[in-house]
Amino acid sequence: MSNNNSQSIHLKKEILARIIEAFLSDDYAENTRLIPYAMRPKGAEVPYRCCVYKERAILKERVKAGLGFALEDDDETQPLDKYAKAALERTKPEEDPLTVLDAACAGCVPSRIYVTDLCKGCVARPCQSACKFGAIDMVNGRSKIDGSKCKGCKMCMNACPYNAIVKLAVPCEDACPVGAIHKDDNGITRIDFDKCITCGKCVAACPFGAVNEKSQIIDILKNIKDTDKKVIAMFAPSLVGQLPGNIYQLKTAIKKAGFDEVVEVAQGADITTINEAKEFEERMEEGQPFMTTSCCAGYNRFVDKHLPELKEYRSTTGTPLYYTAELVRKANPDAVTVFVSPCVAKRKESMENPNVDYVMTYEELGALFIAKKIQITECEEDKSGVEGSKQARNFGNTTGVAEAVKSVAKNPDDIKPYVISGLTKETAKDLKKFVKDKSCSGCNLVEVMCCEGGCVGGNATLNLPRIARKELKTLLDSSEDLKRED
Amino acid sequence: MAKVNVKICMGTTCFVMGASQLQDLVDIAKKKYGEDVEVTGSTCLNFCTHSSEYSKAPYVTVNDTVIQEATIDKVLQEIDRKLNENE
């Protein structure tokens, strides 16, 4: 689950706000260079690390990620003002959206099962009897696990009456549903981008805040500053409840922040819903056992990279962003389009879609409001433009997509949803089983959302899903039902 | 006994920096203290703009005490302190 109020995330939002402030100031490069010093001035208390110098070194790395650069191959000799200028010069964002900050990574000891000092070296030795791999020996009167034999099954852990055996955790590795994270020779975390599905779970999981997104905020601000360019924001349905005020006030606030037009992606979700309902009916008629949804970018990447056998069951319908961006581009061929996103996964989807130029997460939008000192609740309501339906506006909430499809189906009772709220190592196994069995335990429409709770639990959200849903409910109660015409 | 007044700043900065999740305090305080404590959300209390100190957001006031980087636990502790002073 997203922990969007931890101190490392607080720090990240502060840095983004400071980068934006620097950009808006009269000396962007110099003020960017000064960010670590402004945040940890001489004599300041050192809240997290060993000394103020290390604090600043890590803040410097965080600023680089905020400027959109990878830390894996950065040039440490270059000051931040050089990076600030380089960010202005690039024409498109870097490919892989995640980066690991070496200096921030604690280099957690490799994940394994470990016997602690609590071991009494008892006579019964239930750990030894429980181990099926003969990995436990007695050394100096205590159990010791032979790492080369241990399979990590935890049987010994569960057997020990003293709770003396523990699993040493590596939060990023444990959170990754696809095994894309490993340690390099120095024990520092590395992401294998061939395996990575960009779900963002490692970003949320690392207690040191060592996995960062490469922000595109400078690229977006540069386009906003260019008065010749029309910049259009397209916001995801899950934005509701992530900031103060209602969505109509938010539209005004986003315009105040510099965007020329603001569009609800719920508009595209209506098209997705109708197309997906039709596709579902066709597939069922053809006798297929089940169909999965296709709107979650993390899930789509999971299927493409790790479970291609599932492709034939996955809906070929486009995502809400796909249809929205298509409409926006058609009406504004020369405009710069920015998707306002709850998660990092959409960055990857957007890079592959020529109709989406940039992605701005909710955290980045929040930071932009802070830097521009925009009070959303004081903004007028803007009710211009196409309104999303009740079903579309609920798309980012777990069960929302299945319910939307059901609401427009010819025979709603024929739809038996199976909901995966959070793609984990365990739920990934469920999906593998569906492929193997060619059936999904009596259901026929599998809704998959990578984040627990749906997009409202995305890695870049600002509120708890539970609280955001209250605001969402208010909006849904005043929204129109989706109608299907055919 | 005088009522303890708690104001959660719901300005944009505080909301983004974590006040969104402090809204739970309304229900928690009602359950724990009943009529003795009143928790309300407030428009921007202007602490962030005074000193450009958004690093210390979110802000909450408990009577006239200002709490920086407020968390639910910090606020409850301050409420308890105020109630003890009242007794």
Side-chain angles (χ1 to χ4, degrees), chain A residues 124-300:
Chain A
R125 294 182 187 171
C127 55
Q128 262 187 343
S129 338
C131 182
K132 290 179 188 151
F133 310 103
I136 300 184
D137 297 317
M138 294 304 286
V139 179
N140 298 330
R142 269 207 211 134
S143 295
K144 191 169 188 299
I145 297 173
D146 179 345
S148 64
K149 292 181 185 161
C150 175
K151 307 271 185 209
C153 71
K154 301 187 196 168
M155 294 297 276
C156 57
M157 248 174 85
N158 299 331
C160 176
Y162 296 102
N163 295 330
I165 306 178
V166 295
K167 180 180 183 295
L168 297 180
V170 180
C172 59
E173 246 180 75
D174 294 344
C176 178
V178 294
I181 293 183
H182 63 275
K183 302 271 178 186
D184 70 7
D185 295 342
N186 299 319
I188 301 293
T189 283
R190 288 285 168 251
I191 299 172
D192 179 347
F193 288 107
D194 290 332
K195 286 187 183 166
C196 175
I197 58 170
T198 351
C199 65
K201 287 184 195 287
C202 53
V203 180
C206 175
F208 286 87
V211 190
N212 274 49
E213 289 185 44
K214 291 186 229 162
S215 177
Q216 302 170 7
I217 195 71
I218 293 299
D219 310 68
I220 295 166
L221 291 170
K222 190 175 80 177
N223 280 288
I224 288 177
K225 200 176 171 190
D226 183 344
T227 46
D228 291 338
K229 286 193 175 138
K230 183 175 181 179
V231 187
I232 302 176
M234 310 177 284
F235 69 87
S238 55
L239 181 63
V240 179
Q242 297 297 328
L243 288 156
N246 60 39
I247 58 161
Y248 305 110
Q249 289 175 310
L250 263 173
K251 279 168 90 167
T252 307
I254 296 172
K255 282 184 186 167
K256 266 195 179 172
F259 290 86
D260 297 290
E261 236 180 79
V262 185
V263 177
E264 260 190 76
V265 170
Q267 188 183 335
D270 281 338
I271 305 173
T272 299
T273 304
I274 302 281
N275 289 353
E276 206 148 285
K278 287 179 185 167
E279 187 183 353
F280 177 81
E281 284 155 8
E282 281 165 21
R283 282 174 180 255
M284 292 303 116
E285 258 171 45
E286 286 166 12
Q288 287 202 13
F290 65 91
M291 180 181 96
T292 85
T293 54
S294 59
C295 43
C296 170
Y299 166 65
N300 285 340

Side-chain angles (χ1 to χ4, degrees), chain A residues 415-456:
Chain A
I415 297 188
K416 307 267 183 279
Y418 185 100
V419 174
I420 292 184
S421 168
L423 187 67
T424 60
K425 291 184 174 89
E426 287 70 35
T427 50
K429 276 185 201 149
D430 293 341
L431 286 167
K432 279 176 193 155
K433 193 168 178 297
F434 296 163
V435 176
K436 200 170 144 250
D437 297 352
K438 293 191 172 31
S439 137
C440 82
S441 47
C443 302
N444 53 20
L445 178 65
V446 187
E447 178 199 280
V448 190
M449 298 200 192
C450 220
C451 296
E452 199 182 321
C455 313
V456 286

Side-chain angles (χ1 to χ4, degrees), chain A residues 43-164:
Chain A
E45 63 168 318
V46 180
Y48 307 115
R49 309 287 176 168
C50 58
C51 62
V52 76
Y53 309 105
K54 181 150 191 194
E55 287 264 333
R56 287 183 195 146
I58 294 172
L59 290 173
K60 186 178 168 188
E61 291 205 346
R62 293 190 194 283
V63 173
K64 285 186 206 170
L67 292 168
F69 293 101
L71 274 304
E72 281 81 0
D73 48 7
D74 69 325
D75 181 355
E76 284 187 331
T77 63
Q78 295 301 313
L80 278 178
D81 50 323
K82 290 264 167 58
Y83 279 91
K85 284 180 194 152
L88 277 185
E89 281 156 19
R90 72 171 161 243
T91 49
K92 65 175 199 191
E94 287 190 23
E95 188 98 342
D96 297 305
L98 293 173
T99 182
V100 179
L101 279 55
D102 286 7
C105 177
C108 306
V109 290
S111 182
R112 60 191 155 97
I113 310 291
Y114 176 74
V115 184
T116 67
D117 290 354
L118 296 174
C119 173
K120 303 245 187 203
C122 67
V123 179
R125 294 182 187 171
C127 55
Q128 262 187 343
S129 338
C131 182
K132 290 179 188 151
F133 310 103
I136 300 184
D137 297 317
M138 294 304 286
V139 179
N140 298 330
R142 269 207 211 134
S143 295
K144 191 169 188 299
I145 297 173
D146 179 345
S148 64
K149 292 181 185 161
C150 175
K151 307 271 185 209
C153 71
K154 301 187 196 168
M155 294 297 276
C156 57
M157 248 174 85
N158 299 331
C160 176
Y162 296 102
N163 295 330

Side-chain angles (χ1 to χ4, degrees), chain A residues 7-26:
Chain A
Q7 298 194 30
S8 61
I9 290 175
H10 192 280
L11 208 56
K12 181 164 77 170
K13 291 185 278 199
E14 182 183 348
I15 286 175
L16 286 165
R18 285 185 186 270
I19 292 173
I20 299 166
E21 268 187 343
F23 182 88
L24 300 171
S25 72
D26 45 20

Side-chain angles (χ1 to χ4, degrees), chain A residues 4 10 13-14 21 374 466, chain B residues 12 16 21 24 54-55 57:
Chain A
N4 47 21
H10 192 280
K13 291 185 278 199
E14 182 183 348
E21 268 187 343
I374 294 171
R466 177 169 49 79
Chain B
T12 303
V16 169
Q21 304 177 19
D24 276 349
Y54 46 74
S55 58

